[in-house]
Amino acid sequence: MTRKKHTEPAVAERVEFDERAVAARELSTEKAWQASLRPKTFEEYIGQKEVMDNLRIAVTAAREKGRTLDHFLFAGPPGLGKTTLAHVIAEELGATLHISSGPAIDHFGRLASLLTSLAENDVLFIDEIHRLTPIVEENLYPAMEDFKVDTFIGEGPHAKAVTMQLPRFTLLGATTRMGMLSAPLRDRFGFHWQLRYYEQADMESIVRRSAGLLGLPIDERGVTEIARRSRGTPRIANRLLRRVRDFADVEHDGSINGVLAASALDRLAVDHVGLDTLDRAYLSVICERFDGGPVGIEAIAASLSEERGTLEEVVEPFLLQIGLIARSPRGRVATAAGFQHMGLVPPPKAPSGGSTGGQGRLF
Ligand code: ADE
């Protein structure tokens, strides 16, 4: 992802995209402490009830009967816990977890060495699996289906192709872009699970749990305020909690209440539903410059000096989810709720919008 400043018509302040307080992707500086807040077992895991109920059955059966767990595919927006789930599954199976990603497995040799390092019933997690190259992907098929990999012994003209038998293992694939996954790869997974944005009650439980682990005193209004502004995404909740803690340490007695949390998050430019300056700039362009739309994504991107992919991946999913924008065949439109959020009077033609009912939308 490029580190690029975006210019914003309505607000003078500029934001480094990678440093957004509400970025759903993990920031490079927060890996260690985000990991320390991760649940490690089914018992500790909050939310995603349907997925978790099914996983618990599958994992328990595999463990009790000594069977290898099926290959599973997890889809959903970033930050909802796909890597966390892989850790939980491996922990519950008592298996070793190997973590890699589509871009990291950039040639066949890397795939072969990853596969041949696995032991019986190990779990291999491939994040961003839609980014595997076609050649690597084709070589993954026999490994998934028959636990076999074709490899070469020796080098140059004397190299000999051999088929190696692999131990039985479980592949967990994760993708933020289900639509970019090839049908043959998708079909080789026994089950597909769609992770959803978390409900408010689950977000509150996650904030409470993380505050407990951090030894942070917080009252119920503080919990509600942070949960409400975290875009249904645990990773964001944990990040906002830590940022609010700094305000509590410097400007209060180290504890968090509703007033302190609201004021800290306002100053971090995260508004009462979790929108930041980039989201608001996007909405303002549609509402004010393009009269509510419909407007094409390229025109919005040009107005914001932002990349189209950034808007599609990090801004639009959440605005669609909470019903502030809608997509039409002719482009993006601001809904009546979108206008109201910006303090503007919606024109009569503005659609009413409405949330997708907690369904994490994928593109
Ligand atoms: N921290 C991050 N994600 C979590 C989850 N789903 N449950 C509990 N704690 C979490």
Side-chain angles (χ1 to χ4, degrees), residues 249-262:
D249 284 338
V250 174
E251 298 186 349
H252 198 227
D253 59 2
S255 68
I256 299 176
N257 59 40
V259 174
L260 180 119

Side-chain angles (χ1 to χ4, degrees), residues 119-300:
E120 190 78 11
N121 291 339
D122 275 3
V123 177
L124 172 61
F125 175 70
I126 303 184
D127 201 7
E128 297 187 79
I129 197 164
H130 59 276
R131 293 179 61 189
L132 288 174
T133 65
I135 292 189
V136 170
E137 195 180 304
E138 270 169 36
N139 281 286
L140 188 57
Y141 299 159
M144 291 177 74
E145 282 172 332
D146 305 318
F147 303 101
K148 288 192 169 133
V149 64
D150 292 325
T151 184
F152 292 93
I153 295 183
E155 281 182 13
H158 302 294
K160 237 177 69 186
V162 288
T163 300
M164 272 184 70
Q165 185 67 44
L166 300 167
R168 295 179 67 84
F169 68 96
T170 297
L171 177 64
L172 302 179
T175 180
T176 49
R177 310 286 288 257
M178 191 66 151
M180 284 173 68
L181 213 66
S182 75
L185 181 55
R186 209 168 45 224
D187 293 347
R188 282 173 172 82
F189 283 97
F191 292 92
H192 304 171
W193 299 113
Q194 171 76 58
L195 300 190
R196 316 285 183 201
Y197 287 110
Y198 290 66
E199 319 239 324
Q200 174 69 11
D202 291 335
M203 292 300 295
E204 290 179 7
S205 301
I206 289 171
V207 172
R208 238 178 257 118
R209 174 180 178 273
S210 295
L213 290 173
L214 293 167
L216 234 176
I218 183 167
D219 73 4
E220 274 309 294
R221 289 190 178 202
V223 166
T224 305
E225 201 58 52
I226 294 174
R228 197 155 56 92
R229 299 190 191 212
S230 296
R231 307 162 81 102
T233 307
R235 180 183 292 156
I236 298 177
N238 288 337
R239 185 184 307 131
L240 295 185
L241 181 65
R242 295 229 329 173
R243 300 249 170 120
V244 172
R245 175 180 69 174
D246 293 341
F247 285 82
D249 284 338
V250 174
E251 298 186 349
H252 198 227
D253 59 2
S255 68
I256 299 176
N257 59 40
V259 174
L260 180 119
S263 138
L265 292 169
D266 284 345
R267 283 147 78 192
L268 289 166
V270 177
D271 77 14
H272 62 282
V273 297
L275 304 198
D276 73 353
T277 41
L278 180 55
D279 301 307
R280 287 191 298 272
Y282 172 102
L283 263 182
S284 143
V285 163
I286 301 186
C287 293
E288 300 186 271
R289 193 169 295 181
F290 294 100
D291 296 327
V295 51
I297 183 70
E298 293 294 354
I300 303 172

Side-chain angles (χ1 to χ4, degrees), residues 37-39 44-46 198 206 209 234 238:
L37 296 177
R38 265 191 201 135
E44 289 173 4
Y45 198 97
I46 295 160
Y198 290 66
I206 289 171
R209 174 180 178 273
N238 288 337

